[in-house]
Amino acid sequence: MRIHADMKMADLVHLNFEVLAVVQRLQIPFGFKDKTISDVCREHSINVDFFLQLVQWFNERENFPQEQLIQGDAQWLVRYLHHTHQCYLNYQIPRIEKEIEFLEQLPDMPDHSARLMLEFFREYIREFTEHIEDEENTTFPYILALGNTLSGNMDLETFRKRYKTYTIDKYLEHHSDLEEKVFDLQSILLRHLPPPSSNCHFTNLLLEINRLGNDLKDHTLLEENVLIPKARQMELELNQRSANQ
Amino acid sequence: MVSVLLAEQSYLLRKGLIHILRQFPEVGEIEILGSQLGIGEVLQHFEPDLLIVNSAITAASPDKNWESLLPEDCRLLHIINTGLPQGAPENQLSIYDSKVALTEKISKTLKAIGANRDQDESEELTPREKLILQHVALGKTNKEIAADLFISTHTVISHRKNITRKLDIKSVSGLTVYAILNGIINMEDIS
Protein backbone atom coordinates (compact mmCIF):
# COMPACT_ATOMS: atom_id res chain seq x y z
CA MET A 1 0.00 0.00 0.00
CA ARG A 2 1.26 3.50 -0.77
CA ILE A 3 1.92 5.54 2.33
CA HIS A 4 1.36 9.28 1.89
CA ALA A 5 1.09 12.39 4.02
CA ASP A 6 -2.70 12.58 3.80
CA MET A 7 -3.17 9.11 5.19
CA LYS A 8 -4.61 8.90 8.69
CA MET A 9 -1.92 8.27 11.28
CA ALA A 10 -4.04 5.59 13.00
CA ASP A 11 -4.48 3.76 9.67
CA LEU A 12 -0.73 3.81 9.16
CA VAL A 13 -0.18 2.14 12.53
CA HIS A 14 -2.81 -0.48 11.75
CA LEU A 15 -1.16 -1.17 8.43
CA ASN A 16 2.09 -2.03 10.16
CA PHE A 17 2.51 -1.93 13.91
CA GLU A 18 6.28 -1.76 13.59
CA VAL A 19 6.08 1.90 12.63
CA LEU A 20 5.23 2.57 16.28
CA ALA A 21 8.99 2.47 16.84
CA VAL A 22 9.39 5.48 14.52
CA VAL A 23 6.51 7.28 16.21
CA GLN A 24 8.02 6.71 19.63
CA ARG A 25 11.56 7.66 18.62
CA LEU A 26 10.40 10.93 17.15
CA GLN A 27 8.57 11.53 20.43
CA ILE A 28 5.14 11.77 18.85
CA PRO A 29 2.46 11.18 21.51
CA PHE A 30 -0.41 8.78 20.76
CA GLY A 31 -4.08 9.76 20.65
CA PHE A 32 -4.14 10.45 16.92
CA LYS A 33 -7.93 10.58 16.57
CA ASP A 34 -8.65 11.25 12.90
CA LYS A 35 -5.54 13.25 12.19
CA THR A 36 -3.46 12.67 9.07
CA ILE A 37 0.28 12.04 9.05
CA SER A 38 0.92 15.61 7.91
CA ASP A 39 -1.35 17.04 10.66
CA VAL A 40 0.41 15.10 13.37
CA CYS A 41 3.88 15.96 12.06
CA ARG A 42 3.02 19.65 11.81
CA GLU A 43 1.62 19.68 15.34
CA HIS A 44 4.80 18.24 16.75
CA SER A 45 7.20 20.06 14.41
CA ILE A 46 8.44 16.86 12.82
CA ASN A 47 9.85 16.90 9.30
CA VAL A 48 7.14 15.05 7.42
CA ASP A 49 9.48 13.86 4.62
CA PHE A 50 11.82 12.28 7.13
CA PHE A 51 8.91 10.58 8.86
CA LEU A 52 7.56 9.24 5.57
CA GLN A 53 10.95 7.96 4.42
CA LEU A 54 11.34 5.96 7.62
CA VAL A 55 7.83 4.50 7.72
CA GLN A 56 7.92 3.62 4.02
CA TRP A 57 11.15 1.76 4.65
CA PHE A 58 9.62 -0.03 7.65
CA ASN A 59 6.82 -1.08 5.36
CA GLU A 60 9.04 -2.20 2.50
CA ARG A 61 12.32 -3.38 3.95
CA GLU A 62 13.94 -4.03 0.61
CA ASN A 63 13.73 -0.40 -0.37
CA PHE A 64 16.03 1.58 1.87
CA PRO A 65 15.73 5.32 1.07
CA GLN A 66 19.47 5.94 1.32
CA GLU A 67 19.72 8.88 -1.07
CA GLN A 68 16.74 10.78 0.29
CA LEU A 69 17.94 10.32 3.85
CA ILE A 70 21.44 11.55 2.95
CA GLN A 71 19.95 14.60 1.25
CA GLY A 72 17.83 15.45 4.30
CA ASP A 73 18.84 17.51 7.30
CA ALA A 74 21.22 15.56 9.55
CA GLN A 75 19.61 16.87 12.74
CA TRP A 76 16.57 14.66 12.19
CA LEU A 77 18.60 11.54 11.84
CA VAL A 78 20.70 12.40 14.89
CA ARG A 79 17.54 13.04 16.87
CA TYR A 80 16.08 9.72 15.78
CA LEU A 81 19.27 7.81 16.60
CA HIS A 82 19.53 9.55 19.97
CA HIS A 83 16.05 8.47 21.03
CA THR A 84 16.75 4.97 19.75
CA HIS A 85 19.78 4.85 22.06
CA GLN A 86 17.62 5.90 25.00
CA CYS A 87 15.14 3.18 24.18
CA TYR A 88 17.86 0.51 24.14
CA LEU A 89 19.57 1.68 27.31
CA ASN A 90 16.53 2.44 29.42
CA TYR A 91 14.16 -0.22 28.30
CA GLN A 92 15.08 -3.03 25.90
CA ILE A 93 18.45 -3.99 27.36
CA PRO A 94 17.51 -3.88 31.08
CA ARG A 95 14.47 -6.01 30.26
CA ILE A 96 16.58 -8.71 28.64
CA GLU A 97 19.03 -8.57 31.54
CA LYS A 98 16.15 -9.14 33.99
CA GLU A 99 14.87 -12.06 31.94
CA ILE A 100 18.29 -13.70 31.97
CA GLU A 101 18.52 -13.12 35.73
CA PHE A 102 15.25 -14.97 36.03
CA LEU A 103 16.73 -17.97 34.16
CA GLU A 104 19.11 -18.46 37.07
CA GLN A 105 16.20 -19.31 39.33
CA LEU A 106 14.87 -22.05 37.08
CA PRO A 107 15.58 -25.45 38.65
CA ASP A 108 16.30 -27.25 35.39
CA MET A 109 18.94 -24.91 34.01
CA PRO A 110 22.28 -26.73 33.72
CA ASP A 111 24.95 -25.67 36.25
CA HIS A 112 26.47 -22.26 35.65
CA SER A 113 24.73 -21.82 32.31
CA ALA A 114 22.48 -18.94 33.37
CA ARG A 115 25.36 -17.30 35.19
CA LEU A 116 27.47 -17.58 32.03
CA MET A 117 24.76 -15.97 29.90
CA LEU A 118 24.38 -13.22 32.43
CA GLU A 119 28.10 -12.49 32.48
CA PHE A 120 28.20 -12.57 28.71
CA PHE A 121 25.30 -10.15 28.48
CA ARG A 122 26.67 -7.81 31.15
CA GLU A 123 29.98 -7.60 29.32
CA TYR A 124 27.97 -6.73 26.24
CA ILE A 125 26.08 -4.00 28.12
CA ARG A 126 29.40 -2.43 29.14
CA GLU A 127 30.63 -2.37 25.53
CA PHE A 128 27.30 -1.16 24.28
CA THR A 129 27.16 1.70 26.76
CA GLU A 130 30.69 2.78 25.86
CA HIS A 131 29.86 2.74 22.16
CA ILE A 132 26.73 4.79 22.68
CA GLU A 133 28.41 7.28 25.00
CA ASP A 134 31.08 7.88 22.38
CA GLU A 135 28.42 8.63 19.78
CA GLU A 136 26.36 10.81 22.08
CA ASN A 137 29.31 12.79 23.44
CA THR A 138 31.50 13.09 20.36
CA THR A 139 30.07 11.96 17.04
CA PHE A 140 26.56 13.41 17.23
CA PRO A 141 27.68 16.87 18.45
CA TYR A 142 30.30 16.86 15.69
CA ILE A 143 27.74 16.11 12.98
CA LEU A 144 25.34 18.71 14.34
CA ALA A 145 28.17 21.26 14.40
CA LEU A 146 29.04 20.40 10.79
CA GLY A 147 25.43 21.06 9.81
CA ASN A 148 25.28 24.29 11.81
CA THR A 149 28.49 25.58 10.26
CA LEU A 150 27.25 24.85 6.75
CA SER A 151 23.93 26.59 7.42
CA GLY A 152 25.68 29.61 8.93
CA ASN A 153 24.50 29.07 12.50
CA MET A 154 28.06 28.50 13.67
CA ASP A 155 31.06 30.31 12.26
CA LEU A 156 33.80 28.36 10.61
CA GLU A 157 36.46 29.54 13.00
CA THR A 158 34.59 28.26 16.06
CA PHE A 159 34.06 24.96 14.31
CA ARG A 160 37.73 24.61 13.35
CA LYS A 161 38.81 25.51 16.86
CA ARG A 162 36.54 22.92 18.39
CA TYR A 163 37.36 20.14 15.93
CA LYS A 164 41.02 20.64 15.12
CA THR A 165 41.75 17.06 14.24
CA TYR A 166 38.45 15.19 14.52
CA THR A 167 36.89 13.76 11.37
CA ILE A 168 34.24 11.08 10.88
CA ASP A 169 37.02 8.59 10.10
CA LYS A 170 38.14 8.87 13.73
CA TYR A 171 34.73 7.58 14.74
CA LEU A 172 35.00 4.67 12.35
CA GLU A 173 38.29 3.59 13.90
CA HIS A 174 36.51 2.33 16.98
CA HIS A 175 33.07 1.77 15.56
CA SER A 176 32.27 -1.79 16.60
CA ASP A 177 29.54 -4.13 15.57
CA LEU A 178 26.67 -3.91 18.06
CA GLU A 179 24.43 -6.70 16.85
CA GLU A 180 27.00 -9.50 16.59
CA LYS A 181 26.89 -10.49 20.25
CA VAL A 182 23.11 -10.24 20.42
CA PHE A 183 22.83 -12.80 17.63
CA ASP A 184 25.51 -14.92 19.32
CA LEU A 185 23.42 -14.98 22.47
CA GLN A 186 20.40 -15.93 20.38
CA SER A 187 22.32 -18.84 18.82
CA ILE A 188 23.54 -20.10 22.19
CA LEU A 189 20.06 -20.04 23.69
CA LEU A 190 18.38 -21.48 20.65
CA ARG A 191 20.87 -24.06 19.46
CA HIS A 192 23.35 -24.91 22.13
CA LEU A 193 21.54 -24.95 25.46
CA PRO A 194 19.37 -27.84 26.69
CA PRO A 195 15.84 -26.42 26.70
CA PRO A 196 14.51 -25.57 30.15
CA SER A 197 10.93 -26.56 30.89
CA SER A 198 9.61 -23.06 31.61
CA ASN A 199 9.22 -22.62 27.92
CA CYS A 200 7.01 -19.57 27.97
CA HIS A 201 9.63 -17.51 29.70
CA PHE A 202 12.42 -18.84 27.55
CA THR A 203 10.53 -18.19 24.32
CA ASN A 204 9.78 -14.66 25.38
CA LEU A 205 13.46 -14.05 26.10
CA LEU A 206 14.36 -15.30 22.64
CA LEU A 207 11.73 -13.10 21.02
CA GLU A 208 13.05 -10.04 22.83
CA ILE A 209 16.65 -10.80 21.90
CA ASN A 210 15.65 -11.30 18.29
CA ARG A 211 13.78 -8.02 18.26
CA LEU A 212 16.75 -6.16 19.72
CA GLY A 213 19.12 -7.77 17.21
CA ASN A 214 16.96 -6.82 14.25
CA ASP A 215 16.49 -3.33 15.58
CA LEU A 216 20.24 -2.94 15.98
CA LYS A 217 20.71 -4.00 12.37
CA ASP A 218 18.45 -1.14 11.28
CA HIS A 219 20.37 1.16 13.56
CA THR A 220 23.70 0.12 12.05
CA LEU A 221 22.30 0.57 8.55
CA LEU A 222 21.23 4.13 9.36
CA GLU A 223 24.63 4.93 10.85
CA GLU A 224 26.81 3.30 8.23
CA ASN A 225 24.85 4.04 5.10
CA VAL A 226 23.38 7.40 5.91
CA LEU A 227 25.04 9.15 8.84
CA ILE A 228 28.65 8.46 7.86
CA PRO A 229 28.29 9.22 4.12
CA LYS A 230 26.32 12.33 5.09
CA ALA A 231 29.10 13.45 7.45
CA ARG A 232 31.72 12.84 4.74
CA GLN A 233 29.67 14.88 2.29
CA MET A 234 29.40 17.76 4.76
CA GLU A 235 33.13 17.59 5.54
CA LEU A 236 33.90 17.83 1.85
CA GLU A 237 31.55 20.76 1.37
CA LEU A 238 33.08 22.60 4.30
CA ASN A 239 36.60 22.00 3.05
CA GLN A 240 35.67 23.27 -0.40
CA ARG A 241 34.07 26.30 1.12
CA SER A 242 37.12 27.16 3.20
CA ALA A 243 39.37 26.62 0.18
CA ASN A 244 37.29 29.13 -1.78
CA GLN A 245 37.43 31.77 0.91
CA MET B 1 22.89 -20.82 3.80
CA VAL B 2 24.32 -18.50 1.19
CA SER B 3 24.43 -14.82 2.12
CA VAL B 4 24.13 -12.28 -0.65
CA LEU B 5 25.03 -8.62 -0.93
CA LEU B 6 23.13 -6.87 -3.70
CA ALA B 7 24.46 -3.45 -4.72
CA GLU B 8 22.14 -2.05 -7.35
CA GLN B 9 20.77 1.48 -7.71
CA SER B 10 17.63 0.65 -9.69
CA TYR B 11 14.57 -0.17 -7.60
CA LEU B 12 13.07 -2.26 -10.38
CA LEU B 13 16.19 -4.33 -10.89
CA ARG B 14 16.61 -4.87 -7.16
CA LYS B 15 13.04 -6.11 -6.86
CA GLY B 16 13.46 -8.46 -9.80
CA LEU B 17 16.73 -9.91 -8.61
CA ILE B 18 15.46 -10.39 -5.05
CA HIS B 19 12.47 -12.19 -6.49
CA ILE B 20 14.73 -14.58 -8.39
CA LEU B 21 17.13 -15.06 -5.46
CA ARG B 22 14.26 -15.90 -3.11
CA GLN B 23 13.33 -18.84 -5.33
CA PHE B 24 16.47 -20.62 -4.19
CA PRO B 25 15.99 -22.22 -0.77
CA GLU B 26 19.75 -22.09 -0.12
CA VAL B 27 19.75 -18.28 -0.23
CA GLY B 28 19.68 -16.93 3.31
CA GLU B 29 20.35 -13.34 4.22
CA ILE B 30 20.20 -10.72 1.46
CA GLU B 31 21.69 -7.31 2.25
CA ILE B 32 20.81 -4.50 -0.12
CA LEU B 33 22.66 -1.34 -1.03
CA GLY B 34 21.40 1.30 -3.41
CA SER B 35 24.75 2.97 -4.10
CA GLN B 36 28.48 2.66 -3.49
CA LEU B 37 28.14 4.70 -0.28
CA GLY B 38 28.65 2.61 2.82
CA ILE B 39 29.70 -0.53 0.96
CA GLY B 40 33.05 -0.64 2.80
CA GLU B 41 31.32 -0.24 6.17
CA VAL B 42 28.84 -3.04 5.43
CA LEU B 43 31.65 -5.39 4.43
CA GLN B 44 33.33 -4.81 7.79
CA HIS B 45 30.71 -6.98 9.45
CA PHE B 46 28.74 -8.72 6.70
CA GLU B 47 30.60 -11.48 4.88
CA PRO B 48 28.69 -12.29 1.70
CA ASP B 49 29.20 -15.55 -0.18
CA LEU B 50 27.94 -13.79 -3.28
CA LEU B 51 28.17 -10.14 -4.30
CA ILE B 52 25.91 -8.98 -7.11
CA VAL B 53 27.00 -5.52 -8.12
CA ASN B 54 25.96 -3.14 -10.87
CA SER B 55 28.85 -2.08 -13.09
CA ALA B 56 27.86 1.57 -12.55
CA ILE B 57 28.47 1.14 -8.81
CA THR B 58 31.84 -0.46 -9.46
CA ALA B 59 32.67 2.44 -11.78
CA ALA B 60 31.58 5.01 -9.19
CA SER B 61 34.20 3.79 -6.74
CA PRO B 62 37.30 3.69 -8.94
CA ASP B 63 39.69 3.01 -6.04
CA LYS B 64 37.57 -0.07 -5.22
CA ASN B 65 39.11 -0.25 -1.77
CA TRP B 66 36.11 -2.32 -0.68
CA GLU B 67 37.17 -5.16 -2.96
CA SER B 68 39.95 -6.06 -0.55
CA LEU B 69 37.30 -6.41 2.17
CA LEU B 70 35.45 -9.17 0.35
CA PRO B 71 35.84 -12.62 1.88
CA GLU B 72 38.39 -14.67 -0.03
CA ASP B 73 35.88 -17.16 -1.44
CA CYS B 74 33.16 -14.60 -2.24
CA ARG B 75 31.78 -14.95 -5.78
CA LEU B 76 30.97 -11.94 -7.90
CA LEU B 77 28.19 -11.37 -10.41
CA HIS B 78 28.21 -8.12 -12.38
CA ILE B 79 25.05 -6.44 -13.58
CA ILE B 80 25.70 -4.91 -17.00
CA ASN B 81 23.42 -2.09 -18.11
CA THR B 82 23.53 -3.07 -21.79
CA GLY B 83 22.94 -6.24 -23.76
CA LEU B 84 25.71 -8.82 -23.75
CA PRO B 85 27.68 -10.05 -26.76
CA GLN B 86 27.70 -13.75 -27.60
CA GLY B 87 30.02 -15.68 -25.35
CA ALA B 88 30.11 -13.05 -22.59
CA PRO B 89 31.53 -14.33 -19.28
CA GLU B 90 29.04 -16.26 -17.17
CA ASN B 91 29.43 -13.91 -14.25
CA GLN B 92 27.77 -11.09 -16.17
CA LEU B 93 24.04 -10.49 -15.87
CA SER B 94 22.52 -8.17 -18.42
CA ILE B 95 19.50 -6.03 -17.59
CA TYR B 96 18.03 -7.43 -20.83
CA ASP B 97 18.51 -11.08 -19.80
CA SER B 98 15.36 -13.18 -19.59
CA LYS B 99 14.29 -14.65 -16.28
CA VAL B 100 15.38 -18.07 -17.46
CA ALA B 101 18.85 -16.79 -18.38
CA LEU B 102 19.24 -14.94 -15.08
CA THR B 103 18.02 -17.91 -13.05
CA GLU B 104 20.45 -20.18 -14.83
CA LYS B 105 23.46 -17.94 -14.23
CA ILE B 106 22.57 -17.43 -10.59
CA SER B 107 21.86 -21.13 -10.14
CA LYS B 108 25.31 -22.03 -11.50
CA THR B 109 26.99 -19.61 -9.13
CA LEU B 110 25.01 -20.89 -6.15
CA LYS B 111 25.92 -24.47 -7.08
CA ALA B 112 29.59 -23.54 -7.20
CA ILE B 113 29.33 -22.00 -3.74
CA GLY B 114 27.55 -25.13 -2.50
CA ALA B 115 30.18 -27.45 -4.02
CA ASN B 116 32.88 -25.63 -2.10
CA ARG B 117 31.02 -26.28 1.10
CA ASP B 118 30.15 -29.93 0.52
CA GLN B 119 33.65 -30.97 1.47
CA ASP B 120 32.74 -30.05 4.99
CA GLU B 121 29.05 -30.56 5.28
CA SER B 122 28.73 -31.83 8.83
CA GLU B 123 27.61 -29.40 11.49
CA GLU B 124 29.57 -31.20 14.21
CA LEU B 125 32.93 -29.77 15.20
CA THR B 126 35.87 -31.97 14.23
CA PRO B 127 38.41 -32.83 16.97
CA ARG B 128 40.80 -30.36 15.33
CA GLU B 129 38.20 -27.59 15.40
CA LYS B 130 37.48 -28.35 19.05
CA LEU B 131 41.17 -27.94 19.80
CA ILE B 132 41.26 -24.59 17.99
CA LEU B 133 38.10 -23.52 19.79
CA GLN B 134 39.70 -24.40 23.10
CA HIS B 135 42.61 -22.08 22.33
CA VAL B 136 40.30 -19.29 21.10
CA ALA B 137 38.20 -19.56 24.26
CA LEU B 138 41.33 -19.25 26.36
CA GLY B 139 41.85 -15.87 24.75
CA LYS B 140 44.71 -16.72 22.40
CA THR B 141 45.29 -14.81 19.18
CA ASN B 142 45.45 -16.51 15.78
CA LYS B 143 49.22 -16.06 15.77
CA GLU B 144 49.63 -17.69 19.18
CA ILE B 145 47.39 -20.59 18.20
CA ALA B 146 49.37 -21.12 14.99
CA ALA B 147 52.64 -21.21 16.95
CA ASP B 148 51.24 -23.57 19.62
CA LEU B 149 49.87 -26.07 17.11
CA PHE B 150 52.62 -25.76 14.48
CA ILE B 151 50.22 -24.69 11.73
CA SER B 152 49.95 -21.53 9.63
CA THR B 153 47.84 -18.54 10.68
CA HIS B 154 45.92 -19.04 7.46
CA THR B 155 44.89 -22.54 8.61
CA VAL B 156 43.81 -21.15 11.97
CA ILE B 157 41.65 -18.53 10.24
CA SER B 158 40.06 -21.14 8.01
CA HIS B 159 39.27 -23.38 11.02
CA ARG B 160 37.78 -20.41 12.85
CA LYS B 161 35.56 -19.61 9.89
CA ASN B 162 34.23 -23.16 9.89
CA ILE B 163 33.66 -23.08 13.66
CA THR B 164 31.70 -19.84 13.35
CA ARG B 165 29.64 -21.18 10.48
CA LYS B 166 28.82 -24.44 12.24
CA LEU B 167 27.96 -22.90 15.59
CA ASP B 168 26.55 -19.62 14.31
CA ILE B 169 28.59 -17.77 16.93
CA LYS B 170 30.96 -15.00 15.87
CA SER B 171 32.37 -13.25 18.93
CA VAL B 172 35.18 -14.64 21.07
CA SER B 173 33.13 -14.26 24.23
CA GLY B 174 30.23 -16.12 22.60
CA LEU B 175 32.58 -18.93 21.60
CA THR B 176 33.93 -19.00 25.15
CA VAL B 177 30.41 -19.46 26.55
CA TYR B 178 29.86 -22.32 24.10
CA ALA B 179 33.19 -23.92 25.05
CA ILE B 180 32.33 -23.85 28.76
CA LEU B 181 28.77 -25.15 28.21
CA ASN B 182 30.19 -28.07 26.25
CA GLY B 183 33.05 -28.89 28.58
CA ILE B 184 35.73 -27.88 26.05
CA ILE B 185 37.25 -25.63 28.68
CA ASN B 186 36.55 -25.21 32.40
CA MET B 187 35.14 -22.12 33.95
CA GLU B 188 38.27 -21.90 36.13
CA ASP B 189 40.49 -21.80 33.04
CA ILE B 190 39.49 -18.27 32.18
CA SER B 191 40.64 -15.40 34.28
Side-chain angles (χ1 to χ4, degrees):
Chain A
M1 190 189 228
R2 195 176 79 89
I3 297 172
H4 51 90
D6 296 329
M7 187 174 176
K8 293 210 170 85
M9 190 63 119
D11 290 345
L12 170 71
V13 176
H14 276 297
L15 180 69
N16 180 357
F17 251 66
E18 293 215 18
V19 306
L20 280 178
V22 180
V23 173
Q24 181 266 320
R25 286 161 194 178
L26 288 172
Q27 309 262 285
I28 302 173
F30 298 146
F32 305 128
K33 300 199 177 98
D34 261 355
K35 288 176 201 155
T36 63
I37 293 177
S38 66
D39 290 339
V40 175
C41 285
R42 199 176 324 113
E43 244 172 62
H44 300 286
S45 314
I46 305 287
N47 181 316
V48 68
D49 290 331
F50 180 72
F51 180 83
L52 284 172
Q53 283 154 12
L54 286 181
V55 296
Q56 274 159 351
W57 169 47
F58 268 59
N59 211 39
E60 191 190 356
R61 304 309 301 219
E62 282 157 5
N63 194 27
F64 182 58
Q66 189 190 21
E67 264 171 59
Q68 294 96 304
L69 285 169
I70 291 178
Q71 275 161 18
D73 188 339
Q75 62 151 318
W76 287 103
L77 188 63
V78 169
R79 184 160 153 184
Y80 181 81
L81 294 172
H82 165 74
H83 288 300
T84 313
H85 285 167
Q86 299 305 314
C87 187
Y88 294 149
L89 282 182
N90 301 332
Y91 185 73
Q92 276 174 283
I93 287 186
R95 256 177 84 102
I96 294 175
E97 188 185 6
K98 274 225 165 63
E99 301 249 358
I100 303 175
E101 278 171 10
F102 183 79
L103 283 187
E104 260 196 313
Q105 299 159 22
L106 296 179
D108 49 358
M109 281 293 282
D111 280 351
H112 308 310
S113 57
R115 171 67 25 194
L116 270 173
M117 297 305 146
L118 199 57
E119 279 172 17
F120 175 80
F121 195 65
R122 284 188 177 150
E123 181 194 295
Y124 172 72
I125 298 177
R126 275 193 297 277
E127 288 171 18
F128 187 91
T129 314
E130 245 172 62
H131 174 114
I132 281 183
E133 276 171 1
D134 177 53
E135 289 182 355
E136 293 280 344
N137 299 331
T138 315
T139 321
F140 289 177
Y142 170 72
I143 289 170
L144 291 176
L146 264 175
N148 283 335
T149 312
L150 283 171
S151 65
N153 290 327
M154 184 191 263
D155 64 275
L156 193 60
E157 215 171 300
T158 319
F159 177 82
R160 292 274 183 236
K161 233 182 241 163
R162 199 174 293 170
Y163 297 103
K164 270 189 199 120
T165 54
Y166 191 83
T167 65
I168 198 68
D169 287 323
K170 283 252 156 51
Y171 159 69
L172 274 172
E173 277 167 20
H174 45 108
H175 175 66
S176 56
D177 192 335
L178 281 182
E179 63 264 25
E180 185 177 281
K181 284 197 175 150
V182 175
F183 285 115
D184 280 355
L185 183 61
Q186 178 179 304
S187 278
I188 293 168
L189 291 171
L190 192 64
R191 294 176 51 170
H192 305 299
L193 205 67
S197 53
S198 170
N199 230 303
C200 192
H201 179 85
F202 203 71
T203 311
N204 190 46
L205 172 60
L206 271 171
L207 282 171
E208 292 216 15
I209 290 172
N210 186 268
R211 213 175 82 187
L212 176 66
N214 286 331
D215 213 88
L216 284 169
K217 273 172 86 172
D218 286 352
H219 193 70
T220 305
L221 190 69
L222 285 173
E223 288 185 352
E224 293 186 346
N225 295 310
V226 181
L227 195 70
I228 293 167
K230 172 88 190 171
R232 287 222 178 93
Q233 212 178 59
M234 291 197 291
E235 282 172 353
L236 196 71
E237 209 181 319
L238 206 62
N239 286 339
Q240 278 167 351
R241 210 183 269 189
S242 19
N244 289 340
Q245 267 175 7
Chain B
M1 286 298 228
V2 174
S3 52
V4 183
L5 178 62
L6 174 59
E8 165 58 58
Q9 59 284 66
S10 152
Y11 173 73
L12 293 174
L13 286 183
R14 278 201 308 263
K15 275 273 164 183
L17 281 168
I18 291 165
H19 177 76
I20 294 176
L21 284 167
R22 284 278 171 239
Q23 291 177 329
F24 293 95
E26 62 265 46
V27 170
E29 219 174 331
I30 305 179
E31 288 260 336
I32 300 136
L33 280 173
S35 75
Q36 78 281 7
L37 298 173
I39 197 164
E41 281 75 33
V42 168
L43 286 173
Q44 298 282 356
H45 57 81
F46 182 66
E47 294 192 350
D49 303 300
L50 171 62
L51 169 68
I52 306 181
V53 60
N54 190 299
S55 50
I57 288 185
T58 321
S61 47
D63 50 345
K64 281 195 217 139
N65 40 18
W66 49 267
E67 268 192 0
S68 61
L69 295 169
L70 287 174
E72 219 173 289
D73 40 12
C74 176
R75 308 253 165 181
L76 238 85
L77 285 174
H78 300 274
I79 304 167
I80 312 293
N81 299 309
T82 58
L84 292 174
Q86 280 273 318
E90 287 201 330
N91 67 346
Q92 297 189 348
L93 313 173
S94 160
I95 56 165
Y96 298 112
D97 273 348
S98 66
K99 187 180 176 193
V100 174
L102 289 169
T103 306
E104 200 171 308
K105 285 179 191 172
I106 291 172
S107 164
K108 268 191 190 157
T109 312
L110 290 175
K111 263 199 197 120
I113 294 169
N116 247 358
R117 288 226 180 121
D118 279 347
Q119 304 157 354
D120 190 13
E121 219 179 355
S122 124
E123 294 294 301
E124 279 284 311
L125 293 185
T126 63
R128 196 70 180 164
E129 284 163 354
K130 277 191 186 156
L131 187 64
I132 304 269
L133 175 59
Q134 187 184 23
H135 282 72
V136 172
L138 292 173
K140 297 201 173 164
T141 63
N142 290 345
K143 240 184 177 169
E144 288 167 341
I145 301 172
D148 281 359
L149 301 178
F150 306 105
I151 51 177
S152 71
T153 334
H154 182 79
T155 314
V156 179
I157 294 170
S158 132
H159 277 307
R160 284 189 68 161
K161 258 192 189 167
N162 286 333
I163 295 170
T164 289
R165 180 177 56 78
K166 287 181 181 179
L167 302 179
D168 198 18
I169 301 174
K170 286 185 182 160
S171 65
V172 172
S173 39
L175 290 169
T176 308
V177 171
Y178 175 88
I180 298 173
L181 285 176
N182 289 279
I184 294 171
I185 61 166
N186 289 319
M187 206 135 168
E188 299 78 46
D189 293 340
I190 44 170
S191 43

